[in-house]
């Protein structure tokens, strides 16, 4: 009984709060996310509210939903709230509000404003104690961040059972790893339930964020997988029971999560959980059907994730037919087959696809049968199912086709039975699934197989596919078993003459090429058909050596978007001609397109191209050996290759010897590597074009010949790329050519410039249409085009600028975006004058006031460019000079007046322009940009002046300027920095008048940096940071202001002292100016802060050396002031006896020096006066010394030293002896100091009596 009572009392004692337990209250108040415990314990709620409310206001600017908490959590009244005095009902209501805020802030918790706002909830409402579960779960997604460690360190000792696993990490200050959280979630029911409930509550409020939901879904999914793995232990019955328990635990969360259509990320997480459940355990048929229907409910924005879930769920079902709701949702899904093709790589989609096919067949006989059969054909042709599943589909279609199963006649009159027959025949002939269907037929029973063979009539093929379904099927779907009759029918469809065409590479549209291409693709599987096709009169094979029509057809085909087998066949057909026919002309028109084929990703294309190169090499060798007069070989297609337009005339051609060398020397040696690696040709070609003279070669003639060869090849290749109508050739060769900036004296830009200018002139729509037709990615091709721009060519840069500023294109034109990307890549290589002009051009784009979509895109891209690239000092200086003046009082220079006149009518525009420029400058400045310091200080001066005129706070601009100067001055020295550029007074105003902690902190950091560089500029401006204004920080009584003061001294004074010691032999002379600033500010410092402030000052500069100087300055500045005298006594007694006696000795020595004819030490501390006045000052100082030296605390300390510290006794006695000698000397020389002598003697006697 006693034990039970004792435990109950202990529990009550732990959970109760005693309002009189001040120590406990102070400890609770010291819990903080931002400050250490010692500092937090000294803060009052007024100071804290000011800081935290600023963070809350920034949150409201980011998300207006936070404004709902302005009247409760962040109201002035909240400073008076005390949870210990609230009723249970009031606390419960407050808990709801606090939970609402934490669920809203979780997505922004890594932002500083959010941490400040959470600080208020911790300090004022103790959420870490009263709302522990919500508090921990709010921070849990960021468990790897230092903020999480700070948060869990605040938790009470008696925390919920769900979070006991955090104890080791709290003690060791280590972030808990992810696997620990997953493991605990799997084994701790409390944590599992709390995490799910918290996530659902956040989503119920509509406050979900991706950080929380992605973390929750991954952790819970892995935890459920661990639970299910663990449930497999034990007997079978026990396993089923455990698995059922896991399913029941997660069911409520799944049911509610899947029903929240407005939270797609939560539903995706539920899909993940369903996937884990269905793959790890056996679920009931009803559960799976219900889950599938829930997945497709409102899934428009998450179809891909939903499809994955449906695929996994369908694999677990015994039934193949899909639920009605699921089937309807899938049927109306756009591009379903494409998505399923992607999923097939990682998942088994057969059962889902079969369910769709069978579901469509079941619904035949109603309106829309044509669409259903098209859907079935699309799914089967996509080759998504194995043969057994296809056989199941065909088996279901056969009764419908042969009439065994009758269909009702639909109202639209569509003949479904005939359409099914045509569909089955079409599928049996399909090149993708035809073989699979035949295999499935072979595996059927005899009767069914006979019906299928009779129905399909496999030996009779339709040319165009099923009559009722065919819309625009391309002829490449025709199988390789094309009969002679069918081939003849295809040929008959082709026109018999070519009109005026001489080349299929012409820029004018060909009316017969597509028909020829369709016929070739249909015939290319048969050698006989290919030979017959090649001999078509339309192609004029007999004239192949006099006009380019024949070869150009095959070239255009192998460079087009056609089946790989057909493209390879086209190359082999040309190779066959070269091998069997005797070449009598130079066919170098093929060379660029052979390069295209040699760089093709498809291995069959490269192999065929290698064979063609070998055939050409042999033919050219034979031609050269048979005819010594090489000039007699005409070039095939010269003046005709690209039609009758000017493009054909602009093509450069290779001399015979160069053409032969290109084949036999440039290509043949590397053919084996090219055959196996598609990247080999680009490497070889670039190396050849860039190669210098072979080191084995000697003599100027060899060097000149090789450079001439490379120049000829480069000019020839570029001319074809510029003038060809084959867009794929441009797209493939441009990256190779762009890697060669110049060959000899010829720049690649000069050769390729016509291509860029022509493309720009034609416009983006024409480019996009061409890319879509050739299945080329427009953005990639535009990048290749922009790589033509050379960073060293002024005309090239002008062309790039024109492309960016072009107004007739769409706002999001890939051409314009590519131009910006190219500019960023080459910026570092641009000449300074080009960087200057482009920098101003970009700035003008950034500052445009137009609201059109195009201008917005330009603004964003230009700003991103200026932020990304490294701007040189000259460019940055020009940008800084562009900053408009916000105020224009007083005299100004000419440039300043111009900037003022242009913007004075609209200060808002001036602020916007200044903000943009400073944003760019901050992102780019380095230590090398020292000349910018003066201009940046002028901008800071403008900002401070505008703040004074308008009353607006410009924290962001101040922060940009200060950060920029800090970045510049990190490694600067005095010799480099012009002192006249530094405006310490403006910087001080920024610190004193700003209410933003970040601005103050960065400005103080800048002051400390300047203190080590130009201490003589800073030393006169240290104290004004704190004084001389009604709102001066030294006059504020809050703890935060005290923290700023302490921070300033800690950062500035040590650096200032180090610099003064390095620069001056007479340290006292330098330090006296600093001490004089503090002494002059004595009256401005609040009384409760004085002692701590001045003690900190002396600790930093050295009390042993300079405490006497501060005391003399105070006595000289405030003579006969009792408050100053008492302060001096208190300050002196803050130190040990040894320091006090040394201070007195130096104090007296200064008085002695003051009475000398030529003072030295005292001259730095006391204003120069006449001899009589100096004597009066000396008497005043001696009279004050009586109070300093005769204080009882000093006598007590000295007595303790004489009694306990024997090693200091001799030193103290020596000091006292010297002091007495100096006093006696003064009394003998100056009658006015006798009274002081008596006081000092009395103090000395008191000290001696303690020895």
């Amino acid at each position: 009984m006693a034990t039970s009572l004792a435990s109950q009392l202990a529990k009550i004692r732990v959970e109760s709060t005693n309002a009189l337990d001040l120590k406990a209250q102070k400890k609770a108040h010291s819990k903080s996310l931002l400050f250490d415990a010692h500092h937090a314990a000294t803060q009052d709620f007024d100071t804290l509210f000011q800081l935290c409310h600023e963070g809350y206001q920034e949150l409201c600017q980011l998300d207006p939903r936070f404004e709902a908490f302005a009247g409760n959590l962040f109201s002035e009244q909240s400073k008076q709230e005390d949870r210990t005095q609230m009723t249970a009902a009031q606390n419960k209501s407050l808990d709801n509000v606090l939970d609402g805020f934490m669920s809203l802030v979780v997505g922004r918790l890594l932002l500083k404003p959010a941490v400040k706002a959470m600080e208020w909830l911790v300090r004022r409402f103790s959420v870490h104690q009263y709302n522990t579960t919500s508090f921990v779960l709010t921070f849990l997604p960021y468990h790897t961040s230092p903020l999480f460690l700070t948060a869990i360190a605040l938790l009470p000792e008696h925390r919920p059972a769900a979070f006991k696993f955090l104890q080791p990490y709290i003690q060791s200050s280590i972030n808990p790893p992810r696997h620990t959280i997953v493991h605990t979630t799997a084994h701790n029911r409390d944590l599992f339930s709390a995490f799910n409930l918290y996530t659902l509550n956040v989503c119920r409020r509509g406050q979900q964020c991706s950080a929380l939901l992605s973390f929750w879904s991954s952790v819970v999914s892995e935890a459920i997988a661990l639970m299910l793995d663990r449930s497999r232990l034990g007997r079978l019955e026990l396993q089923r029971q455990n698995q059922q328990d896991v399913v029941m635990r997660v069911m409520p969360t799944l049911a509610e999560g899947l029903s929240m259509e407005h939270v797609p990320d939560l539903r995706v997480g539920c899909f993940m959980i369903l996937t884990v459940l269905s793959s790890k355990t056996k679920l009931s048929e009803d559960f799976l059907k219900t889950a599938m229907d829930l997945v497709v409910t409102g899934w428009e924005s998450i179809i891909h994730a939903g499809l994955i879930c449906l695929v996994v769920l369908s694999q677990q079902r015994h039934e193949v037919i899909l639920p009605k709701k699921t089937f309807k949702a899938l049927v109306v899904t756009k591009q379903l087959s494409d998505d399923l093709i992607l999923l097939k790589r990682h998942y088994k989609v057969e059962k889902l696809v079969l369910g769709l096919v069978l579901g469509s067949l079941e619904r035949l006989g109603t309106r829309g049968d044509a669409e259903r059969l098209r859907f079935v054909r699309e799914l089967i042709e996509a080759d998504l199912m194995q043969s057994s599943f296809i056989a199941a589909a065909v088996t279901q279609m056969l009764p419908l086709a042969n009439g065994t199963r009758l269909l009702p006649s639909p109202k639209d009159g569509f003949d479904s039975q005939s359409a099914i027959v045509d569909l089955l025949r079409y599928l049996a002939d399909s090149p993708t699934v035809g073989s699979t269907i035949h295999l499935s037929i072979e595996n059927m029973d005899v009767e069914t197989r006979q019906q299928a063979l009779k129905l399909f009539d496999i030996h009779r093929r339709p040319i165009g596919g099923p009559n009722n379904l065919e819309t625009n099927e391309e002829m490449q779907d025709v199988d390789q078993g094309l009969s002679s009759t069918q081939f003849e029918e295809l040929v008959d469809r082709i026109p018999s003459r070519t009109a005026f065409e001489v080349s299929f590479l012409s820029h004018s549209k060909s009316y017969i090429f597509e028909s020829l291409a369709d016929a070739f693709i249909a015939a290319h599987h048969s050698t006989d058909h290919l030979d017959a096709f090649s001999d078509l009169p339309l192609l004029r094979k007999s004239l192949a050596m006099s006009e380019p029509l024949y070869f150009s057809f095959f070239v255009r085909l192998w460079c087009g978007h056609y089946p790989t087998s057909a493209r390879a066949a086209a190359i082999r057909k040309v190779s066959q001609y070269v091998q069997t026919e005797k070449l009598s002309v130079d066919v170098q028109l093929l060379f660029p397109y052979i390069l295209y084929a040699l760089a093709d990703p498809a291995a069959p294309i490269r192999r065929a191209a290698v064979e063609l190169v070998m055939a050409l090499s042999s033919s050219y060798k034979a031609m050269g050996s048979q005819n010594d007069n090489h000039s007699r070989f005409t070039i095939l297609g010269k003046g005709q290759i690209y039609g009758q337009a000017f493009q054909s005339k602009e093509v450069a051609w290779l001399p015979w010897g160069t053409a032969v060398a290109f084949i036999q020397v440039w290509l043949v040696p590397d053919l084996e590597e090219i055959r196996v690696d598609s990247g080999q040709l680009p490497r070889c070609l670039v190396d050849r074009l860039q190669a210098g003279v072979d080191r084995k070669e000697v003599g100027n003639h060899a060097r000149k010949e090789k450079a001439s060869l490379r120049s000829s090849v480069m000019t020839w290749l570029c001319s074809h790329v510029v003038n060809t109508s084959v867009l794929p050739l441009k797209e493939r060769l441009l990256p190779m050519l762009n890697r060669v900036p110049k060959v000899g004296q010829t720049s690649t830009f000069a050769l390729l410039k016509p291509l860029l200018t022509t493309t720009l002139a034609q416009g983006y729509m024409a480019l996009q249409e061409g890319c879509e037709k050739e299945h080329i990615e427009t953005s990639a091709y535009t990048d290749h085009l922009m790589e033509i721009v050379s960073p060293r060519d002024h005309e090239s840069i002008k062309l790039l600028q024109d492309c960016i500023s072009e107004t007739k294109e769409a706002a999001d034109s890939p051409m314009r975006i590519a131009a910006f990307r190219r500019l960023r890549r080459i910026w570092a290589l641009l000449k300074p004058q080009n960087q200057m002009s482009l920098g101003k051009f970009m700035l003008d784009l950034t500052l445009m006031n137009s609201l059109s979509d195009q201008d917005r895109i330009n603004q964003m891209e230009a700003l991103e460019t200026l932020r990304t690239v490294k701007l040189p000092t000259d460019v940055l200086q020009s940008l800084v000079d562009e900053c408009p003046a916000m105020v224009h009082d007083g005299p100004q220079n000419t440039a300043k007046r111009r900037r003022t006149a242009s913007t004075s009518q609209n200060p808002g525009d001036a602020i916007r322009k200044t903000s943009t420029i400073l944003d760019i400058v901050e992102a780019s400045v380095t230590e090398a940009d020292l000349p910018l310091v003066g201009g940046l200080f002028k901008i800071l001066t403008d900002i401070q002046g505008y703040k004074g005129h308008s009353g607006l706070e410009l924290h962001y601009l101040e922060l940009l300027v200060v950060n920029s100067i800090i970045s510049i001055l990190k490694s600067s020295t005095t010799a480099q920095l012009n002192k006249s550029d530094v405006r310490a007074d403006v910087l001080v105003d920024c610190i004193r008048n700003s209410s933003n902690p970040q601005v103050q902190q960065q400005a103080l950091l800048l002051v400390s940096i300047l203190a080590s560089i130009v201490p003589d500029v800073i030393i006169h401006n240290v104290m004004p940071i704190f004084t001389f204004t009604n709102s001066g920080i030294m006059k504020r009584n809050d703890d935060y202001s005290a923290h700023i003061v302490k921070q300033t001294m800690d950062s500035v004074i040590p650096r200032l002292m180090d610099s003064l010691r390095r620069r001056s032999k007479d340290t006292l002379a330098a330090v006296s100016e600093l001490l004089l600033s503090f002494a002059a500010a004595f009256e401005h410092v609040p009384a409760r802060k004085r002692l701590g402030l001045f003690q900190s000052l002396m600790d930093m500069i050295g009390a042993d050396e300079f405490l006497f100087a501060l005391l003399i300055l105070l006595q000289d500045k405030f003579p006969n002031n009792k408050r100053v005298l008492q302060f001096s006594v208190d300050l002196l007694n803050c130190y040990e006896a040894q320091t006090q006696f040394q201070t007195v000795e130096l104090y007296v020595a200064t008085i002695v020096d003051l009475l000398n004819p030529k003072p030295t030490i005292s001259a730095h501390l006391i204003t120069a006066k006449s001899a009589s006045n100096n004597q009066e000052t000396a008497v005043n100082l001696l009279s004050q010394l009586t109070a300093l030296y005769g204080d009882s605390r000093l006598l007590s300390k000295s007595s303790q030293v004489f009694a306990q510290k024997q090693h200091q006794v001799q030193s103290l006695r020596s000091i006292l002896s010297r002091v007495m000698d100096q006093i006696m000397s003064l009394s003998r020389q100056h009658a006015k100091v006798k009274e002081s002598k008596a006081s000092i003697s009395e103090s000395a006697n008191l000290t001696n009596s303690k020895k």
Side-chain angles (χ1 to χ4, degrees), residues 974 1011-1013 1015 1055 1057-1065:
T974 308
S1012 62
I1013 300 176
R1055 289 197 178 197
M1057 288 300 301
D1058 290 342
S1059 180
L1060 291 174
R1061 286 192 174 99
R1062 288 196 308 267
R1063 295 165 182 250
S1064 177
K1065 295 182 179 179

Side-chain angles (χ1 to χ4, degrees), residues 1138-1151:
Q1138 179 81 14
T1139 300
Q1140 290 183 260
F1141 284 128
Q1142 289 178 357
T1143 299
V1144 170
E1145 180 183 10
L1146 293 171
Y1147 189 100
V1148 175
T1150 304
I1151 297 174

Side-chain angles (χ1 to χ4, degrees), residues 584-832:
S584 58
V585 294
D586 185 355
V587 293
Q588 61 176 274
L589 64 86
L590 299 174
F591 293 178
Y593 303 95
I594 292 175
L595 294 179
Y596 173 90
L598 291 173
D600 200 277
I605 304 297
R606 296 198 304 276
R607 288 195 296 267
V610 167
E611 294 174 2
L612 177 56
V613 172
M614 296 302 298
L616 286 172
S617 177
S618 300
S619 296
Y620 269 70
K621 186 175 181 180
M623 292 168 65
S625 63
Q626 295 174 5
N627 191 344
D628 294 334
N629 187 6
H630 299 154
S631 61
R632 295 181 57 187
F633 290 119
T634 59
I635 298 175
L636 180 65
K638 188 174 183 179
Q640 297 177 315
I641 180 65
Y642 299 125
Q644 303 296 336
F646 69 92
Q647 288 91 346
S648 295
K649 299 180 177 60
E650 297 293 329
V651 176
W653 298 97
L654 296 175
W656 168 261
T658 304
V660 174
F662 182 77
I663 286 289
Q664 297 181 346
V665 179
W666 285 45
L667 296 184
V668 171
D670 299 311
L671 286 181
E672 287 306 316
E673 291 84 356
I674 291 172
R675 186 196 302 267
V676 297
D677 182 7
S678 62
Q680 183 64 22
L681 176 80
R683 290 191 291 269
C684 294
L685 183 62
V686 171
D687 289 344
R688 297 279 188 183
L689 290 172
Q690 289 182 328
V693 179
D694 192 327
R695 293 182 181 180
K696 295 180 181 179
E697 293 178 345
V698 293
N700 294 330
H701 179 69
R703 180 177 294 107
K704 181 177 180 181
E705 183 179 59
K706 190 157 189 176
S708 173
L709 173 64
R710 290 188 291 116
S711 180
S712 297
V713 172
M714 187 66 176
T715 303
W716 163 71
L717 273 178
C718 290
S719 70
H720 276 282
V721 170
V722 168
N723 293 288
T724 184
S725 62
V726 182
L727 198 60
L729 181 76
K730 302 175 188 281
E731 190 266 343
R732 186 161 293 174
L733 294 190
L734 267 178
M736 307 180 201
L737 300 177
N738 285 330
R739 290 168 59 186
V740 185
K742 61 184 299 185
V743 176
Q745 299 300 316
T746 306
S747 71
T748 305
F749 167 73
L751 297 173
L752 295 177
K753 175 189 173 184
L755 174 61
L756 186 56
T757 55
T758 302
T759 305
L760 291 176
Q762 291 173 347
Y764 166 65
M765 296 305 295
L767 175 64
Q768 185 181 37
E769 181 180 353
C771 289
E772 289 178 353
K773 181 180 179 182
E774 298 292 346
H775 296 80
I776 294 174
E777 187 178 350
T778 308
S779 61
Y781 179 63
T782 52
D783 281 339
H784 298 330
L785 279 176
M786 287 305 157
E787 286 173 3
I788 296 174
V789 173
S790 171
R792 293 296 180 182
D793 191 291
H794 180 73
E795 185 181 0
S796 176
I797 302 302
K798 182 64 171 62
L799 190 61
L800 186 68
Q801 184 173 328
D802 292 341
C803 179
I804 292 174
S805 59
E806 186 66 41
T807 58
K808 69 179 181 179
E809 297 290 359
D812 57 347
S813 165
M815 189 77 72
R816 180 179 289 105
I817 304 302
F820 278 110
R821 284 198 295 266
R822 178 60 176 166
L823 179 57
R824 293 168 198 153
R825 287 195 293 268
I826 67 173
W827 179 269
L829 303 175
L830 295 177
K831 295 179 180 179

